[in-house]
Amino acid sequence: SALNIKNVLRDASLISIAGIGMVMVILLGEIDLSVGSVQAAAGIVAVAVLNDQESIYLALGAALLTGGLIGLINGLLVTKAGINSLIATLGMMAILRGSAMVSTQAVSIQGKVSGFVEIGTGYFASIPIPVIVVFILFIVFYYLLHYSTFGRYLYAIGGNPQASRLAGLSVDRTKILVFVIAGMLGALSAFILASRLNSGQPNAGLGFELQVIAAVILGGVSLTGGVGSLAG
């Protein structure tokens, strides 16, 4: 039915939003296992700020800031500390999940602002709002990846980081930026999920990272980096 198709698209939108960031991370030859725990941590922060400030915009800003900070830490661990991204983000996944459980005492935080739930469950011209968000993000990042200098640098670094460094490209800065973007997109996905549930859940996103990574790989992005596209 039409309603079922809309519900499937709404569910897929969460994976798609986080998947856009994961595409860029994997194109660099890296991986981010913390995206599932970001859904829990950023969702809790968003609902906490929402209830305290009674502002959906501040809640969104807090969620994006949380995701960006997590991505920044991941990027610094990978580039400056020289830790393999699999290990660094696996550790971050455990830290975030534990922090979410401890900070909420393993109990969900209910949203108390009317209208918040509309972001995740509402429609615009009978199209689910999260699907529209995915469409806009796809256009923006498709252009960045395939028609901008940043995109060319990203593919070059993923294909051969040593040659890219010798050619004068800022490999570390690009990787850090990509991890930050991926963190913010994961946090946006978390914000929409929190809106759908009208709550911040410490167990949100369990196994979500595997769904996102699987979607990206099935779309043709190579785990070795440098090959693949957002369209796939």
Side-chain angles (χ1 to χ4, degrees):
S1 66
L3 178 60
N4 190 50
I5 291 172
K6 289 177 182 178
N7 287 334
V8 170
L9 289 173
R10 194 191 300 274
D11 283 338
S13 66
L14 299 177
I15 297 175
S16 300
I17 292 170
I20 291 172
M22 191 66 73
V23 164
M24 293 188 290
V25 171
I26 295 180
L27 278 175
L28 286 173
E30 306 291 350
I31 199 76
D32 186 358
L33 296 177
S34 66
V35 65
S37 295
V38 167
Q39 273 212 325
I44 289 169
V45 170
V47 175
V49 172
L50 177 77
N51 291 342
D52 184 63
Q53 300 294 323
E54 297 186 349
S55 170
I56 295 174
Y57 296 107
L58 287 178
L60 174 60
L64 294 177
L65 184 62
T66 300
L69 180 60
I70 293 168
L72 177 62
I73 295 172
N74 284 337
L76 290 173
L77 288 174
V78 171
T79 57
K80 303 304 180 183
I83 302 174
N84 183 280
S85 59
L86 179 71
I87 302 301
T89 58
L90 182 66
M92 181 61 73
M93 177 181 73
I95 291 169
L96 293 176
R97 184 66 63 184
S99 300
M101 289 291 184
V102 171
S103 63
T104 61
Q105 297 182 343
V107 177
S108 63
I109 304 174
Q110 293 299 125
K112 300 177 181 177
V113 176
S114 61
F116 177 56
V117 72
E118 288 297 318
I119 297 169
T121 62
Y123 296 86
F124 180 81
S126 56
I127 300 174
I129 292 174
V131 176
I132 296 174
V133 173
V134 170
F135 183 72
I136 294 171
L137 289 173
F138 177 84
I139 292 174
V140 171
F141 282 95
Y142 187 87
Y143 175 81
L144 282 176
L145 281 175
H146 299 286
Y147 297 100
S148 72
T149 303
F150 170 76
R152 289 193 291 274
Y153 285 0
L154 198 147
Y155 276 95
I157 293 169
N160 193 325
Q162 289 78 22
S164 299
R165 187 175 280 108
L166 291 172
L169 302 187
S170 182
V171 175
D172 287 355
R173 186 170 63 185
T174 301
K175 287 189 176 183
I176 291 171
L177 178 59
V178 166
F179 271 105
V180 169
I181 293 172
M184 294 180 73
L185 289 172
L188 177 58
S189 175
F191 182 79
I192 293 174
L193 178 63
S195 171
R196 284 187 62 183
L197 302 174
N198 198 29
S199 64
Q201 309 255 357
N203 61 349
L206 286 172
F208 182 69
E209 61 280 343
L210 298 180
Q211 296 179 49
V212 174
I213 293 170
V216 173
I217 294 172
L218 288 171
V221 180
S222 172
L223 278 172
T224 57
V227 178
S229 71
L230 194 59

